[in-house]
């Protein structure tokens, strides 16, 4: 036997040891998770989409509510998008929910509401990539397809001492081929879940628990003393900070006890979700881009933004700061309490967008004898408070300003889907309003 043949034989034994011991460990240590109680491919599909970028403990209650609300592919396909987003509210990465519903419509129309078991068909579903497809095919249909996510790449990098950068596409392909070789015949369903479980519970990113690991004996990284330095992964570019000014507009008169929310555009970031109106804050003169704008300048900028958007409100005082992190950007929201301007109660009460022709409304304001800062109307190229119109034509307009607006109280929140940061802000505000401690 040549040295090469001997090395190949030893490597094959290492692989067999890994697969056998991992399966045996999984049967005794696997967690009781709700999606593991079913072989329903629809449930497995939902769980895998929810688990992307989200911890298991967070997903469990969402999964249970989601399948209760949308128990079948058809139920999800036929539901209003607003209902789907509301059920997803707080999980983040909302494009996952939209893609999931789009794919449910594909399954309903093309496959009679039954999740397909054909590899090409599963890959054709919107939002289903190699990992999700592999998870559906292996867990639901026991097909020998690899399901390689970050947990799996970490385990394989350490066990086989692979120093390829897992952030690169060719490395993922290499890992998929290796994972496929490791799947014991007829055990794809259990093996892929075992591999994920080992990465989640034992071979963790930091401080891996090597002693209770079922495959530690042949783990090449542990034997080389470099388990904590693997896997190799290029650091992603840090998200760009962006300061934004948010308006918590408190209603008066008929709107007392309510706040104004707006809907985001039909496409793009957080599409069609609801929020407090907010706009980018220009950097303070001579300061770092992430520096907070001085109070007077922030109030002035917010006043201009509100007027440009046609929202009848006067900023009064800073309320609090909040943060919302995306993969590529971090919003720091400086939230200001704003007072609804009484003269425009009626236009803002109308269904849909609080938009109106400023020039046409000027006559109404003039007839009402409106003067001073509460007036937002135009007359001969100036606002009635004397501010030249051109001061507001500074690029502060936003496509977000074209969305619908609504006056809501706490009970109304159940009818709208909010990004998590605005959900928290609104809950905090209404709790303060009701005198309830947080």
């Amino acid at each position: 036997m040549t040295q090469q043949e001997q090395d190949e034989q030893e490597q094959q034994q290492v692989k067999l040891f890994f697969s056998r011991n991992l399966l045996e460990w999984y049967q005794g240590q696997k967690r009781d998770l709700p999606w593991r109680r079913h072989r329903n491919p629809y449930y497995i599909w939902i769980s895998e989409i929810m688990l992307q970028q989200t911890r298991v403990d967070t997903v469990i209650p969402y999964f249970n509510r989601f399948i209760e609300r949308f128990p079948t592919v058809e139920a999800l396909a036929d539901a209003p998008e607003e209902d789907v987003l509301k059920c997803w509210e707080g999980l983040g990465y909302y494009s996952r929910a939209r893609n999931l519903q789009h794919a449910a419509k594909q399954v309903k129309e093309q496959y009679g509401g039954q999740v397909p078991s054909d590899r090409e068909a599963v890959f054709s579903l919107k939002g289903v990539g190699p990992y999700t497809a592999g998870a559906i095919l292996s867990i639901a249909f026991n097909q020998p397809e690899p399901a390689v996510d970050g947990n799996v790449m970490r385990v394989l990098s350490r066990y086989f001492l692979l120093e390829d950068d897992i952030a690169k596409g060719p490395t993922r392909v290499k890992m998929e081929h290796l994972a496929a070789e490791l799947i014991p015949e007829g055990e794809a369903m259990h093996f892929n879940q075992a591999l994920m479980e080992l990465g989640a519970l034992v071979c963790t990113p930091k401080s891996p628990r090597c002693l209770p690991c079922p495959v530690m004996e042949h783990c090449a990284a542990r034997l080389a003393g470099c388990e904590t330095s693997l896997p190799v992964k290029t650091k992603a570019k840090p998200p760009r900070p962006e300061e934004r000014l948010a308006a918590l507009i408190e209603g008066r008169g008929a709107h007392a006890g309510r706040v104004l929310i707006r809907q985001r555009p039909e496409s793009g970031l957080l599409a069609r979700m609801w929020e407090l109106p907010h706009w980018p804050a220009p950097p303070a003169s001579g300061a770092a881009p992430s520096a907070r704008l001085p109070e007077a300048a922030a109030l002035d900028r917010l006043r201009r933004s509100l007027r440009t958007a046609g929202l009848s409100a006067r900023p009064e005082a800073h309320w609090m700061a909040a943060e919302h992190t995306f993969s590529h950007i971090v919003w720091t929201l400086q939230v200001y309490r704003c007072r609804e301007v009484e003269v425009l109660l009626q236009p803002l009460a109308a269904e849909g967008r609080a938009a109106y022709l400023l020039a046409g409304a000027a006559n109404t304001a003039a007839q009402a004898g409106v003067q001073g800062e509460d007036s937002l109307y135009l007359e001969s190229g100036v606002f009635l408070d004397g501010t030249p119109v051109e001061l507001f034509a500074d690029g502060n307009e936003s496509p977000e300003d074209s969305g619908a607006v609504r006056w809501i109280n706490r009970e109304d929140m159940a009818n709208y889907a909010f990004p998590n940061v605005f959900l928290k802000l609104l809950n905090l505000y209404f709790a303060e309003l009701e005198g309830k401690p947080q």
Side-chain angles (χ1 to χ4, degrees):
M1 181 182 293
T2 66
Q3 184 62 46
Q4 180 179 354
E5 290 173 334
Q6 184 176 344
D7 290 344
E8 290 176 353
Q9 188 178 70
E10 289 178 357
Q11 185 70 355
Q12 187 61 28
Q13 289 301 314
V14 167
K15 291 179 179 179
L16 289 172
F17 173 87
F18 180 88
S19 301
R20 182 178 61 250
N21 283 42
L22 182 59
L23 274 174
E24 183 179 338
W25 170 83
Y26 178 69
Q27 293 305 326
Q29 300 296 323
K30 63 181 178 181
R31 290 171 290 180
D32 179 21
L33 302 175
W35 44 89
R36 287 181 177 164
R37 301 169 192 164
H38 309 273
R39 289 289 300 277
N40 186 328
Y42 171 61
Y43 291 175
I44 292 166
W45 175 20
I46 291 170
S47 70
E48 291 299 337
I49 297 296
M50 286 187 170
L51 286 165
Q52 295 171 14
Q53 308 288 337
T54 312
R55 295 173 58 86
V56 167
D57 291 345
T58 301
V59 165
I60 290 174
Y62 280 93
F63 173 82
N64 290 332
R65 286 196 297 270
F66 201 88
I67 63 172
E68 181 179 359
R69 175 65 180 81
F70 312 110
T72 64
V73 170
E74 291 89 343
L76 177 58
D78 295 340
E81 183 182 276
E82 290 76 10
D83 290 1
V84 177
L85 291 175
K86 187 64 182 177
C87 207
W88 202 272
E89 185 180 67
L91 268 180
Y93 299 94
Y94 293 95
S95 61
R96 295 181 296 171
R98 292 190 180 88
N99 289 340
L100 181 60
Q101 186 178 33
H102 186 283
K105 293 177 180 178
Q106 289 179 266
V107 172
K108 177 188 174 183
E109 295 167 4
Q110 299 174 27
Y111 307 106
Q114 300 299 312
V115 178
S117 59
D118 177 74
R119 188 176 188 274
E120 289 187 9
V122 173
F123 266 94
S124 73
L125 300 177
K126 189 172 181 63
V128 173
Y131 166 75
T132 304
I136 294 170
L137 293 168
S138 62
I139 299 172
F141 301 108
N142 204 28
Q143 295 183 20
E145 289 284 342
V148 175
D149 66 354
N151 280 335
V152 170
M153 287 195 284
R154 182 169 61 253
V155 170
L156 297 181
S157 292
R158 289 172 176 171
Y159 186 79
F160 293 100
L161 192 54
L162 303 176
E163 297 180 305
D164 305 274
D165 184 351
I166 66 170
K168 298 185 180 299
T171 302
R172 173 177 286 275
V173 173
K174 179 179 179 180
M175 296 280 191
E176 288 172 347
H177 288 308
L178 176 56
E181 292 176 9
L182 295 170
I183 299 174
E185 186 175 354
E187 293 286 357
M189 174 179 65
H190 295 124
F191 179 79
N192 279 351
Q193 291 185 90
L195 197 48
M196 300 171 197
E197 197 83 332
L198 187 70
L201 300 181
V202 177
C203 196
T204 51
K206 297 179 181 178
S207 303
R209 300 168 57 228
C210 292
L211 288 179
C213 178
V215 296
M216 66 169 288
E217 184 178 338
H218 292 294
C219 178
R222 184 191 67 83
L223 294 172
C226 61
E227 66 273 11
T228 58
S229 64
L230 290 174
V232 174
K233 184 178 182 181
T234 304
K235 289 186 177 180
K237 184 178 179 180
R240 172 175 55 85
E242 184 176 296
E243 191 90 2
R244 299 184 75 86
L245 305 176
L248 180 71
I249 304 174
E250 301 174 284
R252 300 172 61 189
H255 302 140
R258 297 175 179 268
V259 297
L260 193 74
I261 60 171
R262 74 175 179 191
Q263 190 173 33
R264 292 188 62 80
E266 291 286 327
S267 60
L269 191 67
L270 303 174
R272 292 181 54 79
M273 300 195 75
W274 294 81
E275 63 184 3
L276 297 178
H278 59 99
W279 299 270
S285 178
S290 60
R292 180 180 168 186
L293 201 62
E295 187 79 354
L299 288 169
D300 179 66
R301 181 67 176 205
L302 187 55
R303 186 181 298 113
R304 295 179 181 218
S305 297
L306 288 162
R307 289 182 174 183
T308 301
L311 297 178
S312 156
R314 177 193 296 171
E316 295 193 326
H318 185 266
W319 179 47
M320 67 178 300
E323 192 171 278
H324 193 65
T325 302
F326 302 93
S327 58
H328 65 296
I329 192 170
V330 177
W331 284 349
T332 298
L333 296 162
Q334 301 298 341
V335 187
Y336 288 81
R337 295 179 87 143
C338 303
R339 180 171 64 90
E340 181 187 8
V341 176
E342 192 169 16
V343 69
L344 293 183
L345 285 176
Q346 187 58 40
L348 281 173
E351 180 71 6
R353 172 86 172 102
Y356 42 85
L357 296 174
L358 292 177
N363 294 331
T364 304
Q367 291 171 9
V370 177
Q371 299 295 328
E373 187 174 306
D374 280 355
S375 173
L376 304 186
Y377 296 124
L378 291 170
E379 184 175 282
S380 303
V382 298
F383 285 93
L384 291 185
D385 64 357
T387 308
V389 175
E390 57 267 20
L391 289 182
F392 298 91
D394 57 359
N396 201 32
E397 300 86 352
S398 167
E400 298 160 358
D401 293 336
S402 63
V405 297
R406 299 286 188 276
W407 287 105
I408 64 163
N409 57 25
R410 185 192 282 277
E411 289 70 30
D412 296 326
M413 288 176 63
N415 301 319
Y416 303 93
F418 298 93
N420 207 35
V421 64
F422 295 105
L423 186 67
K424 291 178 179 178
L425 286 168
L426 287 166
N427 279 326
L428 181 60
Y429 170 76
F430 285 122
E432 284 186 6
L433 200 66
E434 297 161 5
K436 295 180 180 179
Q438 287 291 294

